[in-house]
Coordinates of all heavy atoms in Angstrom, one line a residue:
M1 N 32.0 117.8 -42.6 CA 32.8 116.7 -43.2 C 33.3 115.8 -42.0 O 33.7 116.3 -41.0 CB 34.0 117.3 -43.9 CG 34.2 116.8 -45.3 SD 35.7 117.3 -46.1 CE 35.0 118.8 -46.9
S2 N 33.3 114.5 -42.2 CA 33.7 113.6 -41.2 C 35.2 113.6 -41.1 O 35.9 114.0 -42.1 CB 33.2 112.2 -41.5 OG 33.4 111.8 -42.8
R3 N 35.7 113.1 -40.0 CA 37.2 113.1 -39.8 C 37.7 111.7 -39.5 O 37.0 110.8 -39.0 CB 37.6 113.9 -38.5 CG 37.3 115.4 -38.7 CD 37.6 116.1 -37.4 NE 39.0 116.2 -37.1 CZ 39.8 117.1 -37.7 NH1 39.3 118.0 -38.5 NH2 41.1 117.1 -37.4
I4 N 38.9 111.4 -39.9 CA 39.6 110.1 -39.7 C 40.3 110.2 -38.4 O 41.1 111.1 -38.1 CB 40.6 109.8 -40.8 CG1 39.9 109.9 -42.2 CG2 41.2 108.5 -40.6 CD1 40.8 109.9 -43.3
L5 N 40.0 109.2 -37.6 CA 40.8 109.1 -36.3 C 41.6 107.8 -36.3 O 41.1 106.7 -36.7 CB 39.8 108.9 -35.1 CG 38.8 110.1 -35.0 CD1 37.8 109.8 -33.8 CD2 39.4 111.4 -34.7
V6 N 42.9 108.0 -36.0 CA 43.8 106.8 -36.0 C 44.3 106.6 -34.5 O 44.7 107.5 -33.8 CB 45.1 107.1 -36.8 CG1 46.0 105.9 -36.8 CG2 44.7 107.5 -38.3
D7 N 44.1 105.4 -34.1 CA 44.7 105.0 -32.8 C 46.1 104.5 -33.0 O 46.3 103.3 -33.4 CB 43.8 103.9 -32.2 CG 44.3 103.5 -30.8 OD1 45.4 103.8 -30.4 OD2 43.5 102.9 -30.0
F8 N 47.1 105.4 -32.8 CA 48.4 105.0 -33.2 C 49.0 104.0 -32.2 O 50.0 103.3 -32.6 CB 49.3 106.3 -33.3 CG 49.0 107.1 -34.5 CD1 48.2 108.3 -34.4 CD2 49.6 106.8 -35.7 CE1 47.9 109.0 -35.5 CE2 49.3 107.6 -36.8 CZ 48.5 108.7 -36.7
D9 N 48.4 103.9 -31.1 CA 48.9 102.8 -30.2 C 48.5 101.4 -30.7 O 49.2 100.5 -30.4 CB 48.2 103.0 -28.8 CG 48.8 104.2 -28.1 OD1 49.9 104.6 -28.4 OD2 48.1 104.7 -27.2
R10 N 47.5 101.3 -31.4 CA 47.0 100.1 -32.0 C 47.7 99.8 -33.3 O 48.0 98.6 -33.7 CB 45.5 100.0 -32.2 CG 44.7 100.1 -31.0 CD 43.2 100.0 -31.3 NE 42.8 98.7 -31.5 CZ 42.2 97.9 -30.6 NH1 41.9 98.4 -29.4 NH2 41.8 96.7 -30.9
C11 N 47.9 100.8 -34.2 CA 48.4 100.6 -35.5 C 49.7 99.9 -35.5 O 50.7 100.2 -34.8 CB 48.6 102.0 -36.2 SG 49.4 101.9 -37.8
E12 N 49.8 98.8 -36.4 CA 51.0 98.0 -36.4 C 51.7 98.2 -37.8 O 52.5 97.3 -38.2 CB 50.7 96.6 -36.1 CG 50.2 96.4 -34.7 CD 49.8 95.0 -34.4 OE1 49.7 94.1 -35.3 OE2 49.5 94.7 -33.2
G13 N 51.2 99.1 -38.6 CA 51.9 99.4 -39.9 C 51.7 98.3 -40.9 O 52.6 98.1 -41.8
H14 N 50.5 97.6 -40.9 CA 50.3 96.6 -41.8 C 50.2 97.1 -43.2 O 50.4 96.4 -44.2 CB 49.0 95.8 -41.5 CG 49.2 95.0 -40.2 ND1 50.0 93.9 -40.1 CD2 48.5 95.2 -39.0 CE1 49.9 93.4 -38.8 NE2 49.0 94.2 -38.2
G15 N 49.7 98.4 -43.3 CA 49.6 99.0 -44.6 C 48.4 98.7 -45.5 O 48.3 99.1 -46.6
L16 N 47.4 97.9 -44.9 CA 46.2 97.6 -45.7 C 45.4 98.9 -46.0 O 44.8 99.0 -47.0 CB 45.4 96.6 -45.0 CG 46.0 95.2 -44.8 CD1 45.1 94.2 -44.0 CD2 46.4 94.6 -46.1
C17 N 45.4 99.8 -45.0 CA 44.7 101.1 -45.3 C 45.3 101.8 -46.5 O 44.6 102.3 -47.3 CB 44.7 101.9 -44.1 SG 46.3 102.3 -43.4
E18 N 46.6 101.8 -46.6 CA 47.3 102.5 -47.7 C 47.0 101.8 -49.0 O 46.7 102.4 -50.0 CB 48.8 102.4 -47.5 CG 49.6 103.2 -48.5 CD 51.1 103.1 -48.4 OE1 51.6 102.0 -48.1 OE2 51.8 104.1 -48.5
Q19 N 46.9 100.5 -49.0 CA 46.6 99.8 -50.2 C 45.1 100.1 -50.6 O 44.8 100.1 -51.8 CB 46.7 98.3 -50.0 CG 48.1 97.8 -49.9 CD 48.2 96.3 -49.6 OE1 47.3 95.5 -49.9 NE2 49.3 95.9 -48.9
T20 N 44.3 100.2 -49.6 CA 42.8 100.4 -49.9 C 42.5 101.9 -50.3 O 41.7 102.1 -51.1 CB 42.0 100.0 -48.6 OG1 42.4 98.7 -48.3 CG2 40.5 100.1 -48.9
A21 N 43.2 102.8 -49.6 CA 42.9 104.3 -49.9 C 44.2 105.0 -49.9 O 44.5 105.8 -49.0 CB 42.0 104.8 -48.8
P22 N 45.0 104.8 -51.0 CA 46.3 105.4 -51.0 C 46.3 106.9 -51.1 O 47.4 107.5 -50.8 CB 46.9 104.8 -52.3 CG 45.8 104.3 -53.1 CD 44.7 104.0 -52.1
E23 N 45.2 107.5 -51.5 CA 45.1 109.0 -51.5 C 45.2 109.6 -50.1 O 45.5 110.8 -49.9 CB 43.9 109.5 -52.2 CG 43.4 108.7 -53.4 CD 42.8 107.4 -53.1 OE1 42.4 107.1 -52.0 OE2 42.8 106.6 -54.0
V24 N 44.8 108.8 -49.1 CA 44.6 109.3 -47.8 C 45.6 108.8 -46.8 O 46.1 109.5 -45.9 CB 43.2 108.9 -47.3 CG1 43.0 109.4 -45.8 CG2 42.1 109.5 -48.2
F25 N 46.0 107.5 -46.9 CA 46.9 106.8 -46.0 C 48.2 106.6 -46.6 O 48.3 106.1 -47.7 CB 46.3 105.5 -45.5 CG 45.0 105.7 -44.8 CD1 43.8 105.4 -45.5 CD2 44.9 106.0 -43.5 CE1 42.6 105.5 -44.9 CE2 43.6 106.2 -42.9 CZ 42.5 105.9 -43.6
R26 N 49.3 107.0 -45.9 CA 50.7 106.8 -46.4 C 51.5 106.2 -45.3 O 51.5 106.7 -44.2 CB 51.3 108.1 -46.8 CG 50.8 108.6 -48.1 CD 51.4 107.9 -49.3 NE 50.5 108.0 -50.5 CZ 50.4 109.0 -51.2 NH1 51.1 110.1 -51.0 NH2 49.6 109.0 -52.3
L27 N 52.3 105.1 -45.6 CA 53.2 104.7 -44.6 C 54.6 105.2 -45.1 O 54.9 105.2 -46.2 CB 53.3 103.1 -44.7 CG 52.1 102.4 -44.0 CD1 52.3 100.9 -44.2 CD2 52.0 102.7 -42.5
D28 N 55.4 105.6 -44.1 CA 56.7 106.1 -44.4 C 57.7 104.9 -44.4 O 57.3 103.8 -44.2 CB 57.2 107.3 -43.5 CG 57.3 106.9 -42.1 OD1 57.5 105.7 -41.8 OD2 57.3 107.8 -41.2
D29 N 59.0 105.2 -44.6 CA 60.0 104.1 -44.7 C 60.1 103.4 -43.4 O 60.6 102.3 -43.4 CB 61.3 104.7 -45.1 CG 61.3 105.3 -46.5 OD1 60.4 104.9 -47.3 OD2 62.2 106.0 -46.9
E30 N 59.7 104.0 -42.3 CA 59.8 103.3 -41.0 C 58.5 102.6 -40.7 O 58.4 102.0 -39.6 CB 60.1 104.3 -39.9 CG 61.6 104.4 -39.6 CD 62.2 105.7 -40.2 OE1 61.7 106.7 -39.8 OE2 63.2 105.6 -41.0
G31 N 57.6 102.6 -41.6 CA 56.3 101.9 -41.3 C 55.4 102.7 -40.5 O 54.4 102.2 -39.9
E32 N 55.6 104.0 -40.3 CA 54.7 104.9 -39.6 C 53.6 105.4 -40.5 O 53.9 105.9 -41.7 CB 55.5 106.1 -39.1 CG 56.6 105.7 -38.1 CD 56.2 106.2 -36.6 OE1 55.4 107.1 -36.5 OE2 56.6 105.5 -35.7
L33 N 52.4 105.4 -40.0 CA 51.3 105.8 -40.8 C 51.1 107.3 -40.7 O 51.2 108.0 -39.7 CB 50.0 105.1 -40.3 CG 48.7 105.5 -41.0 CD1 48.8 105.1 -42.4 CD2 47.6 104.9 -40.3
H34 N 50.9 108.0 -41.9 CA 50.5 109.4 -42.0 C 49.2 109.5 -42.8 O 49.0 108.8 -43.7 CB 51.7 110.1 -42.7 CG 53.0 110.0 -42.0 ND1 53.4 110.8 -40.9 CD2 54.0 109.1 -42.1 CE1 54.5 110.4 -40.5 NE2 54.9 109.4 -41.2
L35 N 48.5 110.5 -42.4 CA 47.3 110.9 -43.2 C 47.6 112.0 -44.1 O 48.2 113.0 -43.7 CB 46.1 111.3 -42.2 CG 45.7 110.3 -41.2 CD1 44.6 110.9 -40.3 CD2 45.2 109.1 -41.9
T36 N 47.2 111.9 -45.4 CA 47.5 113.1 -46.3 C 46.4 114.2 -46.0 O 46.6 115.3 -46.3 CB 47.3 112.6 -47.7 OG1 46.0 112.1 -48.0 CG2 48.4 111.6 -48.1
R37 N 45.3 113.8 -45.4 CA 44.3 114.7 -44.9 C 43.5 114.0 -43.8 O 43.3 112.8 -43.8 CB 43.4 115.2 -46.0 CG 43.0 114.1 -47.0 CD 42.4 114.8 -48.2 NE 42.0 113.8 -49.2 CZ 42.7 113.5 -50.3 NH1 43.9 114.0 -50.4 NH2 42.2 112.6 -51.2
E38 N 43.0 114.8 -42.9 CA 42.2 114.2 -41.8 C 40.7 114.3 -42.0 O 40.0 113.5 -41.4 CB 42.6 115.0 -40.5 CG 44.0 114.7 -40.0 CD 44.3 115.3 -38.6 OE1 43.4 115.8 -38.0 OE2 45.4 115.1 -38.2
E39 N 40.3 115.2 -42.9 CA 38.9 115.2 -43.2 C 38.6 114.4 -44.4 O 39.5 114.3 -45.3 CB 38.5 116.7 -43.5 CG 38.7 117.6 -42.2 CD 37.8 118.8 -42.3 OE1 37.6 119.3 -43.4 OE2 37.4 119.3 -41.2
V40 N 37.5 113.7 -44.4 CA 37.2 112.8 -45.5 C 36.4 113.6 -46.6 O 35.3 114.0 -46.3 CB 36.3 111.6 -45.0 CG1 36.0 110.6 -46.1 CG2 37.0 110.9 -43.8
A41 N 37.0 113.8 -47.7 CA 36.3 114.4 -48.8 C 35.3 113.4 -49.3 O 35.4 112.2 -49.2 CB 37.3 114.7 -49.9
P42 N 34.2 114.0 -49.9 CA 33.1 113.2 -50.4 C 33.6 112.1 -51.3 O 33.1 110.9 -51.3 CB 32.2 114.1 -51.1 CG 32.4 115.4 -50.4 CD 33.9 115.4 -50.0
E43 N 34.6 112.4 -52.1 CA 35.0 111.4 -53.1 C 35.9 110.3 -52.5 O 36.1 109.3 -53.1 CB 35.8 112.1 -54.3 CG 37.1 112.8 -53.8 CD 36.9 114.2 -53.5 OE1 35.7 114.6 -53.1 OE2 37.9 115.0 -53.6
D44 N 36.3 110.5 -51.3 CA 37.1 109.5 -50.6 C 36.3 108.6 -49.6 O 36.8 107.7 -49.0 CB 38.3 110.2 -49.8 CG 39.3 110.8 -50.7 OD1 39.4 110.3 -51.8 OD2 39.9 111.8 -50.3
E45 N 35.0 108.9 -49.4 CA 34.3 108.3 -48.4 C 34.3 106.8 -48.5 O 34.4 106.1 -47.5 CB 32.8 108.8 -48.3 CG 32.6 110.1 -47.5 CD 31.2 110.6 -47.5 OE1 30.3 109.8 -47.9 OE2 31.1 111.8 -47.1
R46 N 34.0 106.3 -49.6 CA 33.9 104.8 -49.8 C 35.3 104.2 -49.5 O 35.3 103.1 -48.9 CB 33.4 104.5 -51.2 CG 32.0 104.8 -51.4 CD 31.5 104.5 -52.8 NE 31.5 103.0 -53.0 CZ 30.7 102.4 -53.7 NH1 29.8 103.1 -54.4 NH2 30.8 101.1 -53.9
A47 N 36.3 104.7 -50.1 CA 37.6 104.1 -49.9 C 38.0 104.2 -48.4 O 38.6 103.2 -47.9 CB 38.7 104.9 -50.8
V48 N 37.8 105.3 -47.7 CA 38.1 105.4 -46.3 C 37.3 104.4 -45.5 O 37.9 103.7 -44.6 CB 37.9 106.8 -45.8 CG1 38.1 106.9 -44.3 CG2 39.0 107.7 -46.5
A49 N 36.0 104.3 -45.8 CA 35.2 103.3 -45.1 C 35.7 101.9 -45.3 O 35.8 101.1 -44.3 CB 33.7 103.4 -45.5
A50 N 36.2 101.6 -46.5 CA 36.8 100.3 -46.8 C 38.1 100.1 -45.9 O 38.3 99.0 -45.4 CB 37.0 100.1 -48.2
A51 N 38.9 101.1 -45.9 CA 40.1 101.0 -45.1 C 39.8 100.8 -43.6 O 40.5 100.0 -43.0 CB 40.9 102.3 -45.2
V52 N 38.8 101.4 -43.1 CA 38.4 101.2 -41.7 C 38.1 99.7 -41.5 O 38.5 99.1 -40.5 CB 37.2 102.1 -41.3 CG1 36.6 101.7 -40.0 CG2 37.6 103.5 -41.3
R53 N 37.4 99.1 -42.5 CA 37.0 97.7 -42.3 C 38.2 96.8 -42.5 O 38.2 95.7 -41.8 CB 35.9 97.4 -43.4 CG 34.6 97.9 -43.1 CD 33.5 97.3 -44.0 NE 33.8 97.4 -45.4 CZ 33.4 98.4 -46.2 NH1 32.7 99.4 -45.6 NH2 33.7 98.5 -47.4
V54 N 39.1 97.1 -43.3 CA 40.2 96.1 -43.5 C 41.3 96.2 -42.5 O 42.2 95.3 -42.4 CB 40.9 96.3 -44.9 CG1 39.8 96.0 -46.0 CG2 41.6 97.5 -45.1
C55 N 41.4 97.2 -41.7 CA 42.5 97.3 -40.7 C 42.4 96.2 -39.7 O 41.4 96.0 -39.0 CB 42.4 98.6 -40.0 SG 43.7 98.7 -38.7
P56 N 43.4 95.3 -39.7 CA 43.3 94.1 -38.9 C 43.3 94.3 -37.4 O 43.0 93.4 -36.6 CB 44.6 93.3 -39.3 CG 45.5 94.3 -39.9 CD 44.7 95.4 -40.4
V57 N 43.7 95.5 -36.9 CA 43.8 95.8 -35.5 C 42.8 96.9 -35.1 O 42.8 97.4 -34.0 CB 45.2 96.2 -35.1 CG1 46.2 95.0 -35.2 CG2 45.7 97.4 -35.8
A58 N 41.8 97.2 -36.0 CA 40.8 98.2 -35.7 C 41.3 99.5 -35.2 O 40.8 100.0 -34.2 CB 39.7 97.6 -34.7
A59 N 42.3 100.0 -35.9 CA 43.0 101.3 -35.4 C 42.3 102.5 -36.1 O 42.7 103.6 -35.7 CB 44.5 101.2 -35.8
L60 N 41.4 102.3 -37.0 CA 40.8 103.4 -37.7 C 39.4 103.6 -37.4 O 38.6 102.6 -37.2 CB 41.0 103.2 -39.2 CG 42.4 103.1 -39.7 CD1 42.4 102.7 -41.2 CD2 43.2 104.3 -39.5
K61 N 39.0 104.9 -37.3 CA 37.6 105.2 -37.1 C 37.3 106.4 -38.0 O 38.2 107.2 -38.2 CB 37.3 105.6 -35.7 CG 37.1 104.4 -34.7 CD 36.7 104.9 -33.4 CE 36.8 103.8 -32.4 NZ 37.0 104.2 -31.0
V62 N 36.0 106.6 -38.3 CA 35.6 107.8 -38.9 C 34.5 108.4 -38.0 O 33.6 107.8 -37.6 CB 35.0 107.6 -40.3 CG1 34.4 108.8 -40.9 CG2 36.0 107.0 -41.3
R63 N 34.8 109.7 -37.6 CA 33.9 110.4 -36.8 C 33.0 111.3 -37.6 O 33.6 112.2 -38.3 CB 34.7 111.2 -35.7 CG 33.8 111.8 -34.7 CD 34.5 112.6 -33.7 NE 35.1 113.8 -34.3 CZ 36.1 114.5 -33.8 NH1 36.7 114.1 -32.7 NH2 36.6 115.6 -34.3
P64 N 31.7 111.2 -37.6 CA 30.9 112.0 -38.4 C 30.9 113.5 -38.1 O 31.3 113.8 -37.0 CB 29.4 111.5 -38.1 CG 29.6 110.2 -37.3 CD 31.0 110.2 -36.8
Ligands
SF4_101 S1 45.7 98.9 -41.8 FE1 45.5 99.5 -39.6 S2 47.4 98.7 -38.6 FE2 47.7 98.8 -40.8 S3 48.8 100.7 -41.2 FE3 46.6 101.0 -41.5 S4 45.8 101.7 -39.5 FE4 47.8 100.8 -39.2

């Protein structure tokens, strides 16, 4: 299963990933990003790939 990698130094808490894949990405009240899971389940692959594309600071990657 592939894994989600977050570059927390780049992440600015825009939340577009959460909007795109809310099952996987969560922002807390302070705007800190959390992953509900680090491995990409088959049913989440498309949403996670879309989240990687929409992140405006390229903080997300998926490692096969
Ligand atoms: S879209 Fe990018 S910058 Fe915004 S919260 Fe997600 S990872 Fe961080």
Side-chain angles (χ1 to χ4, degrees):
M1 231 183 268
S2 49
R3 292 178 73 83
I4 303 166
L5 303 177
V6 181
D7 184 341
F8 287 99
D9 289 336
R10 294 181 81 101
C11 175
E12 295 176 353
H14 295 291
L16 295 178
C17 55
E18 184 185 45
Q19 289 173 27
T20 306
E23 322 71 19
V24 178
F25 300 98
R26 286 280 153 79
L27 286 179
D28 65 20
D29 292 342
E30 267 105 54
E32 294 254 331
L33 178 63
H34 301 274
L35 300 177
T36 60
R37 42 192 179 264
E38 292 187 1
E39 296 200 327
V40 184
E43 63 269 25
D44 294 331
E45 273 179 18
R46 289 179 68 149
V48 170
V52 170
R53 286 196 301 273
V54 300
C55 176
V57 294
L60 300 174
K61 281 187 192 154
V62 173
R63 189 179 68 197

